[in-house]
Amino acid sequence: SWWAEVWWFVTKPTFDFWMQALAMATFGVSYVADRHAYLPDHIIAPAQRGGDPGHPEWIVRFPSLILSVIALYLAYRAVAQVRGRRAGFLSAIVLATGCDWAMLSHQSITDMPFVASLTAAMSLLIIGLTTDDSATVRAVPVRLGKRVLSLSGYHLAIGVVLLTAVPQALYLISRNFELVTNNGFGFAPHLDEYFPGSGHECWKPQDGSYERLMVMGKWACDKAHVVHPEFQPALQGLLWLGLGGLLLGLNRNERRISRLCFVVAWEFAAISTMGKGIAGFLLPIAVAGVYVVTARKWRHLLRFEYVSGAIVLGVVAAPWFVAMFVRMGDEFIQQLFVHHMWKRALDHVHDTNGGDDVSLRYYVWQLGYAFFPWTGVIAAGLVWWARDRWGAATRALSLDDERRRDVGIFLVMWFVFSWALFTYMKTKFHHYVFPAVPPAAMLTGIFLDEALGPKHLVDKGRAWLWLGATTLGVAVAAYGFSKLVPGAFWGSIDPKQPLPAASPLAGASLAAAGLLVAFAAARLARSGERSKEVLDEEDAEGTSATGIFIGALALAAAVATVLVARDLASLPTTDIKGQERLIQLFTYRYDRVWPKELNFSAPLFGFGLAATALVLAVSVRAWRRQAIVALGALAFLFAGWNLDVYMVKVAPHWGQRPLFAAYYRDRRSTMEPIVAFEMNWKGENFYSGGRLVEFGNGMSQGGTAGERASDRMRTWLTDMRKHVKAIYFVTELGRVQKIDEMLRSTMGPPPNGGTRWTEQITTEAEDNKFVIVRARFE
């Protein structure tokens, strides 16, 4: 609904919102082809009812996915720059398959735009810092008809900035002009004006009509007062265009790779700022500054392109903040900066931890779940940096060694700053530590690369056979381990029946066979016997101090892995929430009831034991390389199971798609409206396209419970009954009785001698938190 959009504009930066709106318009969400129109209230309606039963959720998540892919590639490039492509690839794999990154890449919330852009900015800083200042971009000839253009990384870097800056400036300029087509074609200038509230109110339907009743209670679409009219949007747009021109002038001859990387790093920092606030650019500045001090690279202080960076922040991030302040004045500052940033840091705002320990261990605890099944290896990667750093300090370093050491310092500073900042904050949600995830994954990729050793893993032409056999082995092992405890591997159970029985003998046999296949697959990686020189080199590597240290880290990592596996596999009846910990990585309410029809303890136990066994195998020199590869295969399998089984089955109980699909199927006419009763979750607005009436959401229906729950709704029901034959209600399960009582007090006894006015048309098996009920007047 429009009032929800206004509230979002007031309280949150909107880069992700803009990207979602653009994606929805581009891909035609709610577009009905045979009627050549956009019908928001048909967003998931069945085709026979005039709708397009697609997946609009995919479209609004599309921006998160795109930014995620960009960040993964740049993280790979940053590590590969100084540690080699294999280390970069392992870093990207660890990051992509960890629970936090994989799950948040599929969510339509601002955390992924914030962290993905932050990761891209940090990665570009690393690439710029480890590239010689004398290195320049290469031009590539591109033929367009008879013309040949010379394009390079310069055009890509500046083009990215202009792509996100120029449309904002042009949009602002357009706010002072109205397109006129009545008598010819032209533009009529006018002062800035805007209409907050519900768009349905703007056209003011006739009193007493069905349409008027459908917009009852929404915020009035009245012209709002602009607090600072002297700074019109067109003037703002011209200012940003002027700054953009200055940026082009300053960098017109810039072709150094490192400097262009810094410019684009500022660009991604600006996007991160639009996603979540000032931490988007403060974290990169703080980390880069501490890195310079710690590594004593004082010359880097002159390389960071401060002037260009300030302009990029201005033309990309600042337009929205400035425009909102001009329109709303101090109210905007109080809401965004004071309440949602300052107070969240210093006080408990919207905290829902319900007595959980929010001390230093809080985010250590959550990082364990966020990285599963890599948890133990992540801890080893962080410790490995300290050992690597100490070794570098005891010997003279080449330029390459110095850069490798410096990248480790940068990544550790990034991790420590992120973890410390959000640990210090009084308001804590599980996913707030997300900015610490990328550097930990990148450090882990470096550790795994060191543990694999310098030799290649597989002969040419044998990779797919080797990987296929390894993946098959770990899949069988995970399934076998899951059979050691009661439960179903795919999670669906009958709550009225006992859990499927465990099969210890069969499970142990499958697990052993799977592990045997996974390790025997190492034979497929090579076409012949290894030479005596190679074997002697491996023996020396295994008995060296480095090999022993890796083995000790693996033993400790196995302990951490099995502890996290125990937590995740715990049944929901215990004090540990177990399987709920995964979905709580991106939700806010941690007291929600778990669906009775789902139990994932067995598969989580299976994946956890398989991961523990593989991490233990890393401690054995002869098995180390294949164990690391098998662990990567297991992480891929778990990420696939997590996204395509766990999330798919859990999501309906934390969302509302099944409810509105049932509403569209059940209603007999488009004039059988739906009411959101005491709801404020925004899903009801999304799936209805804002075409619903809201009562008791605490924002648009008045300040008192009596006004929200009685007078307005009773009046509305009395008037609406003259126009419709049925009304639907979406609400939480525990509030159905209140709706029934209100119908009884307004309409009298239920028809046909019934005991209730409402009839439930969705079940707890479809959605165990929300429900659709119907009141029919025929």
Side-chain angles (χ1 to χ4, degrees):
S1 67
W2 283 96
W3 68 263
E5 294 178 12
V6 170
W7 181 254
W8 182 257
F9 265 78
V10 171
T11 58
K12 284 286 186 182
T14 57
F15 179 76
D16 191 41
F17 179 81
W18 288 344
M19 292 178 68
Q20 290 173 355
L22 181 62
M24 291 181 74
T26 301
F27 292 100
V29 170
S30 77
Y31 181 75
V32 182
D34 59 349
R35 297 174 65 175
H36 303 287
Y38 285 95
L39 302 174
D41 57 325
H42 287 65
I43 195 166
I44 57 171
Q48 63 269 29
R49 303 291 175 85
D52 180 10
H55 288 274
E57 304 91 346
W58 295 358
I59 303 303
V60 296
R61 294 169 189 160
F62 188 66
S64 293
L65 173 64
I66 294 299
L67 289 172
S68 170
V69 171
I70 292 173
L72 286 171
Y73 173 74
L74 289 175
Y76 155 77
R77 289 287 301 150
V79 176
Q81 177 93 349
V82 293
R83 291 282 184 166
R85 289 186 297 174
R86 189 176 69 182
F89 179 73
L90 288 169
S91 298
I93 291 298
V94 173
L95 182 55
T97 56
C99 291
D100 229 356
W101 190 277
M103 298 178 87
L104 282 166
S105 293
H106 290 68
Q107 298 307 306
S108 179
I109 56 179
T110 56
D111 293 84
M112 181 52 76
F114 166 51
V115 174
S117 301
L118 179 68
T119 302
M122 296 291 201
S123 299
L124 286 163
L125 283 176
I126 291 173
I127 295 171
L129 288 169
T130 55
T131 300
D132 292 333
D133 232 7
S134 58
T136 58
V137 294
R138 291 186 305 170
V140 177
V142 176
R143 182 178 296 278
L144 291 177
K146 296 181 178 180
R147 297 189 61 185
V148 177
L149 304 178
S150 182
L151 302 180
S152 67
Y154 162 79
H155 299 94
L156 177 62
I158 300 301
V160 167
V161 177
L162 295 179
L163 184 64
T164 52
V166 173
Q168 295 188 70
L170 295 179
Y171 174 79
L172 286 168
I173 293 173
S174 73
R175 295 303 85 203
N176 284 122
F177 296 91
E178 180 179 356
L179 178 63
V180 178
T181 58
N182 293 336
N183 298 313
F185 181 87
F187 294 93
H190 60 81
L191 295 177
D192 182 33
E193 58 184 23
Y194 71 102
F195 299 83
S198 170
H200 298 300
E201 283 274 12
C202 289
W203 56 280
K204 298 292 183 184
Q206 186 178 5
D207 287 344
S209 67
Y210 170 82
E211 290 295 340
R212 183 60 185 172
L213 291 170
M214 283 298 296
V215 299
M216 178 179 178
K218 297 183 181 294
W219 283 358
C221 184
D222 297 327
K223 186 176 180 180
H225 170 67
V226 177
V227 177
H228 297 286
E230 65 277 7
F231 196 18
Q232 289 291 305
L235 184 58
Q236 299 171 41
L238 291 174
L239 171 63
W240 304 128
L241 285 178
L243 284 176
L246 178 60
L247 179 69
L248 288 175
L250 290 174
N251 293 277
R252 64 186 182 281
N253 296 319
E254 184 59 80
R255 297 297 184 274
R256 291 172 292 182
I257 295 174
S258 62
R259 302 305 177 96
L260 293 174
C261 283
F262 293 141
V263 170
V264 183
W266 284 105
E267 158 75 10
F268 278 108
I271 295 175
S272 183
T273 301
M274 296 178 74
K276 205 73 172 179
I278 59 176
F281 69 88
L282 285 183
L283 269 175
I285 291 173
V287 171
V290 174
Y291 156 77
V292 168
V293 173
T294 306
R296 299 179 182 179
K297 300 291 185 180
W298 308 109
R299 65 182 183 277
H300 289 324
L301 289 175
L302 303 177
R303 300 178 63 197
F304 286 127
E305 295 291 333
Y306 301 105
V307 176
S308 293
I311 295 175
V312 170
L313 283 176
V315 299
V316 175
W320 180 82
F321 292 94
V322 172
M324 292 303 296
F325 173 73
V326 168
R327 280 186 168 181
M328 297 187 173
D330 186 61
E331 178 187 359
F332 172 69
I333 301 297
Q334 292 297 320
Q335 281 286 338
L336 179 61
F337 292 100
V338 177
H339 182 76
H340 285 283
M341 293 185 186
W342 183 254
K343 286 188 176 181
R344 283 196 185 209
L346 302 180
D347 202 354
H348 295 274
V349 178
H350 309 308
D351 204 331
T352 59
N353 285 288
D356 278 346
D357 182 357
V358 292
S359 64
L360 291 175
R361 74 179 285 271
Y362 183 84
Y363 284 126
V364 175
W365 184 27
Q366 297 309 321
L367 282 173
Y369 310 132
F371 277 114
F372 187 78
W374 295 103
T375 306
V377 186
I378 293 292
L382 293 171
V383 174
W384 179 262
W385 169 84
R387 178 259 175 204
D388 202 29
R389 176 79 174 85
W390 177 82
T394 60
R395 66 181 188 274
L397 300 178
S398 66
L399 179 60
D400 289 341
D401 289 336
E402 187 177 333
R403 284 177 172 172
R404 284 195 287 269
R405 179 203 65 186
D406 291 348
V407 168
I409 294 174
F410 188 96
L411 292 174
V412 168
M413 292 299 102
W414 178 4
F415 175 82
V416 169
F417 264 75
S418 300
W419 181 81
L421 171 64
F422 293 102
T423 297
Y424 169 78
M425 287 178 61
K426 297 297 187 294
T427 302
K428 287 183 172 67
F429 292 110
H430 295 353
H431 58 281
Y432 273 12
V433 77
F434 192 31
V437 167
M442 294 162 80
L443 286 166
T444 302
I446 292 171
F447 163 67
L448 292 174
D449 181 64
E450 294 277 354
L452 284 171
K455 297 174 290 301
H456 72 282
L457 289 168
V458 61
D459 290 342
K460 187 176 181 180
R462 288 180 161 265
W464 291 113
L465 180 62
W466 167 58
L467 289 174
T470 303
T471 303
L472 175 64
V474 295
V476 172
Y479 180 76
F481 280 124
S482 75
K483 301 300 289 182
L484 298 179
V485 296
F489 191 80
W490 306 111
S492 298
I493 62 170
D494 183 350
K496 298 178 181 179
Q497 301 293 329
L499 288 175
S503 303
L505 182 59
S509 301
L510 283 172
L515 290 175
L516 180 63
V517 170
F519 283 96
R523 296 280 185 177
L524 301 174
R526 288 187 168 66
S527 55
E529 294 294 328
R530 287 170 291 176
S531 66
K532 183 177 183 301
E533 291 77 10
V534 171
L535 293 172
D536 290 342
E537 183 181 349
E538 289 182 353
D539 288 336
E541 176 188 307
T543 57
S544 68
T546 297
I548 295 172
F549 187 58
I550 291 173
L553 286 178
L555 290 174
V559 175
T561 304
V562 76
L563 289 175
V564 171
R566 180 209 62 178
D567 278 7
L568 291 176
S570 298
L571 292 174
T573 54
T574 66
D575 61 337
I576 299 175
K577 292 181 181 295
Q579 55 200 336
E580 298 177 52
R581 292 296 186 191
L582 294 183
I583 195 169
Q584 287 178 358
L585 289 173
F586 60 87
T587 57
Y588 293 83
R589 287 285 300 273
Y590 308 134
D591 59 349
R592 289 298 193 185
V593 178
W594 182 260
K596 294 181 294 185
E597 294 78 16
L598 297 176
N599 187 302
F600 295 106
S601 292
L604 288 168
F605 183 82
F607 280 112
L609 277 191
T612 302
L614 295 174
V615 174
L616 272 174
V618 174
S619 65
V620 181
R621 174 189 60 82
W623 300 345
R624 181 169 299 152
R625 289 158 64 85
Q626 184 63 14
I628 291 173
V629 174
L631 184 60
L634 181 73
F636 261 108
L637 289 173
F638 178 75
W641 176 89
N642 186 16
L643 297 174
D644 294 327
V645 178
Y646 180 91
M647 280 189 70
V648 168
K649 292 187 176 181
V650 169
H653 298 279
W654 268 261
Q656 297 181 37
R657 181 186 174 96
L659 305 179
F660 281 85
Y663 162 65
Y664 288 124
R665 287 194 306 268
D666 192 77
R667 72 180 184 181
R668 300 175 183 176
S669 165
T670 56
M671 289 187 65
E672 292 186 346
I674 185 166
V675 174
F677 181 73
E678 295 188 1
M679 296 279 286
N680 189 26
W681 293 102
K682 302 300 179 282
E684 62 271 17
N685 294 289
F686 177 73
Y687 286 114
S688 69
R691 291 284 290 172
L692 81 172
V693 183
E694 298 165 279
F695 290 101
N697 64 8
M699 297 175 67
S700 65
Q701 303 300 329
T704 67
E707 183 183 8
R708 292 199 304 270
S710 60
D711 296 340
R712 285 173 177 257
M713 187 166 173
R714 286 190 177 93
T715 302
W716 184 87
L717 286 170
T718 302
D719 293 339
M720 183 56 80
R721 187 176 182 178
K722 303 171 185 176
H723 299 278
V724 302
K725 295 180 179 180
I727 297 177
Y728 293 78
F729 300 84
V730 56
T731 190
E732 296 191 28
L733 278 165
R735 295 171 178 163
V736 174
Q737 183 62 31
K738 295 171 68 174
I739 296 174
D740 205 86
E741 291 172 357
M742 194 166 298
L743 285 165
R744 184 183 295 271
S745 65
T746 305
M747 309 292 186
N752 303 321
T755 58
R756 300 182 64 89
W757 266 100
T758 57
E759 180 183 356
Q760 190 168 318
I761 66 168
T762 58
T763 66
E764 287 191 49
E766 295 174 283
D767 191 323
N768 77 333
K769 297 171 182 59
F770 308 104
V771 65
I772 292 276
V773 296
R774 177 188 62 215
R776 191 165 292 284
F777 305 133
E778 293 175 320

PDB file of all heavy atoms in Angstrom, residues 21 150 179 229 372 411 517 540 562 648 676 687 708:
ATOM      1  N   ALA A  21      11.488  -1.977  -7.572  1.00  0.00           N
ATOM      2  CA  ALA A  21      10.446  -1.369  -8.399  1.00  0.00           C
ATOM      3  C   ALA A  21      10.816  -1.450  -9.876  1.00  0.00           C
ATOM      4  O   ALA A  21       9.976  -1.758 -10.728  1.00  0.00           O
ATOM      5  CB  ALA A  21      10.234   0.090  -7.974  1.00  0.00           C
ATOM      6  N   SER A 150      37.481   2.825 -28.808  1.00  0.00           N
ATOM      7  CA  SER A 150      38.508   2.244 -27.939  1.00  0.00           C
ATOM      8  C   SER A 150      37.994   2.277 -26.505  1.00  0.00           C
ATOM      9  O   SER A 150      37.926   3.333 -25.873  1.00  0.00           O
ATOM     10  CB  SER A 150      39.814   3.043 -28.058  1.00  0.00           C
ATOM     11  OG  SER A 150      40.820   2.461 -27.263  1.00  0.00           O
ATOM     12  N   LEU A 179       4.293  16.745 -17.650  1.00  0.00           N
ATOM     13  CA  LEU A 179       4.082  16.479 -19.062  1.00  0.00           C
ATOM     14  C   LEU A 179       2.657  16.885 -19.446  1.00  0.00           C
ATOM     15  O   LEU A 179       1.690  16.463 -18.814  1.00  0.00           O
ATOM     16  CB  LEU A 179       4.298  14.989 -19.351  1.00  0.00           C
ATOM     17  CG  LEU A 179       4.061  14.534 -20.797  1.00  0.00           C
ATOM     18  CD1 LEU A 179       5.042  15.213 -21.742  1.00  0.00           C
ATOM     19  CD2 LEU A 179       4.169  13.022 -20.892  1.00  0.00           C
ATOM     20  N   PRO A 229      11.224  24.684   0.658  1.00  0.00           N
ATOM     21  CA  PRO A 229      10.880  24.868  -0.759  1.00  0.00           C
ATOM     22  C   PRO A 229      11.919  25.653  -1.543  1.00  0.00           C
ATOM     23  O   PRO A 229      11.888  25.642  -2.775  1.00  0.00           O
ATOM     24  CB  PRO A 229       9.543  25.628  -0.690  1.00  0.00           C
ATOM     25  CG  PRO A 229       9.568  26.330   0.630  1.00  0.00           C
ATOM     26  CD  PRO A 229      10.314  25.421   1.556  1.00  0.00           C
ATOM     27  N   PHE A 372      27.707 -22.765   8.898  1.00  0.00           N
ATOM     28  CA  PHE A 372      27.557 -24.207   8.806  1.00  0.00           C
ATOM     29  C   PHE A 372      27.436 -24.635   7.331  1.00  0.00           C
ATOM     30  O   PHE A 372      26.722 -23.978   6.561  1.00  0.00           O
ATOM     31  CB  PHE A 372      26.300 -24.634   9.577  1.00  0.00           C
ATOM     32  CG  PHE A 372      26.125 -26.115   9.694  1.00  0.00           C
ATOM     33  CD1 PHE A 372      26.865 -26.840  10.614  1.00  0.00           C
ATOM     34  CD2 PHE A 372      25.237 -26.791   8.872  1.00  0.00           C
ATOM     35  CE1 PHE A 372      26.701 -28.206  10.717  1.00  0.00           C
ATOM     36  CE2 PHE A 372      25.078 -28.157   8.969  1.00  0.00           C
ATOM     37  CZ  PHE A 372      25.812 -28.860   9.891  1.00  0.00           C
ATOM     38  N   LEU A 411      41.979  -8.125   5.887  1.00  0.00           N
ATOM     39  CA  LEU A 411      40.812  -8.967   6.123  1.00  0.00           C
ATOM     40  C   LEU A 411      40.519  -9.125   7.606  1.00  0.00           C
ATOM     41  O   LEU A 411      39.348  -9.115   8.026  1.00  0.00           O
ATOM     42  CB  LEU A 411      41.029 -10.341   5.483  1.00  0.00           C
ATOM     43  CG  LEU A 411      41.064 -10.366   3.945  1.00  0.00           C
ATOM     44  CD1 LEU A 411      41.434 -11.749   3.434  1.00  0.00           C
ATOM     45  CD2 LEU A 411      39.737  -9.920   3.359  1.00  0.00           C
ATOM     46  N   VAL A 517      33.734 -44.251  -0.561  1.00  0.00           N
ATOM     47  CA  VAL A 517      33.663 -43.810  -1.960  1.00  0.00           C
ATOM     48  C   VAL A 517      34.267 -42.415  -2.117  1.00  0.00           C
ATOM     49  O   VAL A 517      35.014 -42.144  -3.070  1.00  0.00           O
ATOM     50  CB  VAL A 517      32.197 -43.821  -2.444  1.00  0.00           C
ATOM     51  CG1 VAL A 517      32.071 -43.133  -3.809  1.00  0.00           C
ATOM     52  CG2 VAL A 517      31.675 -45.240  -2.519  1.00  0.00           C
ATOM     53  N   ALA A 540      57.553 -34.947   3.511  1.00  0.00           N
ATOM     54  CA  ALA A 540      58.208 -33.832   4.199  1.00  0.00           C
ATOM     55  C   ALA A 540      57.202 -32.782   4.612  1.00  0.00           C
ATOM     56  O   ALA A 540      57.272 -32.216   5.713  1.00  0.00           O
ATOM     57  CB  ALA A 540      59.272 -33.220   3.276  1.00  0.00           C
ATOM     58  N   VAL A 562      31.045 -30.247  15.446  1.00  0.00           N
ATOM     59  CA  VAL A 562      30.097 -31.164  16.065  1.00  0.00           C
ATOM     60  C   VAL A 562      29.215 -30.440  17.086  1.00  0.00           C
ATOM     61  O   VAL A 562      28.037 -30.784  17.265  1.00  0.00           O
ATOM     62  CB  VAL A 562      30.831 -32.369  16.706  1.00  0.00           C
ATOM     63  CG1 VAL A 562      31.499 -31.993  18.023  1.00  0.00           C
ATOM     64  CG2 VAL A 562      29.869 -33.538  16.907  1.00  0.00           C
ATOM     65  N   VAL A 648      12.188 -23.904   1.186  1.00  0.00           N
ATOM     66  CA  VAL A 648      10.944 -24.028   0.424  1.00  0.00           C
ATOM     67  C   VAL A 648       9.811 -24.521   1.317  1.00  0.00           C
ATOM     68  O   VAL A 648       8.664 -24.071   1.207  1.00  0.00           O
ATOM     69  CB  VAL A 648      11.152 -24.972  -0.776  1.00  0.00           C
ATOM     70  CG1 VAL A 648       9.834 -25.354  -1.405  1.00  0.00           C
ATOM     71  CG2 VAL A 648      12.066 -24.318  -1.811  1.00  0.00           C
ATOM     72  N   ALA A 676      -7.270  -6.946   6.292  1.00  0.00           N
ATOM     73  CA  ALA A 676      -6.130  -7.292   7.150  1.00  0.00           C
ATOM     74  C   ALA A 676      -6.469  -6.830   8.559  1.00  0.00           C
ATOM     75  O   ALA A 676      -6.587  -5.625   8.817  1.00  0.00           O
ATOM     76  CB  ALA A 676      -4.866  -6.615   6.647  1.00  0.00           C
ATOM     77  N   TYR A 687       0.949  -9.057  -1.576  1.00  0.00           N
ATOM     78  CA  TYR A 687       0.185 -10.048  -2.337  1.00  0.00           C
ATOM     79  C   TYR A 687      -1.187  -9.542  -2.752  1.00  0.00           C
ATOM     80  O   TYR A 687      -1.823 -10.126  -3.629  1.00  0.00           O
ATOM     81  CB  TYR A 687       0.063 -11.336  -1.540  1.00  0.00           C
ATOM     82  CG  TYR A 687       1.349 -12.126  -1.511  1.00  0.00           C
ATOM     83  CD1 TYR A 687       2.051 -12.314  -0.329  1.00  0.00           C
ATOM     84  CD2 TYR A 687       1.865 -12.676  -2.674  1.00  0.00           C
ATOM     85  CE1 TYR A 687       3.231 -13.031  -0.310  1.00  0.00           C
ATOM     86  CE2 TYR A 687       3.043 -13.390  -2.675  1.00  0.00           C
ATOM     87  CZ  TYR A 687       3.726 -13.561  -1.480  1.00  0.00           C
ATOM     88  OH  TYR A 687       4.906 -14.260  -1.475  1.00  0.00           O
ATOM     89  N   ARG A 708      -9.374   1.190  16.934  1.00  0.00           N
ATOM     90  CA  ARG A 708      -8.880   0.286  15.904  1.00  0.00           C
ATOM     91  C   ARG A 708      -9.778  -0.928  15.734  1.00  0.00           C
ATOM     92  O   ARG A 708     -10.014  -1.386  14.631  1.00  0.00           O
ATOM     93  CB  ARG A 708      -7.457  -0.182  16.264  1.00  0.00           C
ATOM     94  CG  ARG A 708      -6.406   0.907  16.213  1.00  0.00           C
ATOM     95  CD  ARG A 708      -5.032   0.275  16.114  1.00  0.00           C
ATOM     96  NE  ARG A 708      -4.780  -0.676  17.213  1.00  0.00           N
ATOM     97  CZ  ARG A 708      -4.237  -0.335  18.385  1.00  0.00           C
ATOM     98  NH1 ARG A 708      -3.911   0.910  18.606  1.00  0.00           N
ATOM     99  NH2 ARG A 708      -4.033  -1.241  19.321  1.00  0.00           N
TER     100      ARG A 708
END
